[in-house]
């Protein structure tokens, strides 16, 4: 189901150029407290073409990151 939700979300976000990923050039924020999961998320987003992936292990760090330039995508660990 998470893949389906991601597809629905990204349906309105077409790649800038043919052949590019829908994440190409996008800034992503991942908030996850488990290091191995964080690394996997970061690798997957970068492999999918994300321009920048900012990872945060704590909500306070994420809040500070949100004070900077706008993110296009955010992933939040609900059990954090």
């Amino acid at each position: 189901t998470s893949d389906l939700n991601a597809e629905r979300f990204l349906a309105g976000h077409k790649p800038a150029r043919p052949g590019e990923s829908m994440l190409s050039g996008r800034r992503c924020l991942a908030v996850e407290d488990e290091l191995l999961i964080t690394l996997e998320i970061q690798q997957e987003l970068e492999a999918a073409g994300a321009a920048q992936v900012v990872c945060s292990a704590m909500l306070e760090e994420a809040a500070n990151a949100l004070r900077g330039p706008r993110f296009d995508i955010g992933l939040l660990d609900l059990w954090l």
Side-chain angles (χ1 to χ4, degrees):
T1 34
S2 63
D3 288 339
L4 180 59
N5 290 335
E7 287 177 29
R8 285 183 189 154
F9 172 77
L10 293 172
H13 301 279
K14 303 282 187 226
R17 287 175 249 159
E20 282 189 350
S21 161
M22 285 187 249
L23 292 178
S24 291
R26 307 252 189 230
R27 292 188 73 237
C28 305
L29 173 64
V31 185
E32 169 60 62
D33 60 337
E34 301 221 15
L35 180 60
L36 294 178
I37 294 172
T38 302
L39 292 173
E40 185 174 345
I41 289 170
Q42 182 178 15
Q43 290 172 349
E44 290 294 325
L45 290 171
E46 289 173 349
Q52 182 181 20
V53 180
V54 175
C55 297
S56 173
M58 297 185 303
L59 291 176
E60 184 176 336
E61 290 175 353
N64 287 334
L66 289 169
R67 290 185 182 96
R70 183 179 76 81
F71 288 95
D72 299 297
I73 295 170
L75 298 159
L76 175 64
D77 175 1
L78 294 177
W79 297 104
L80 186 65

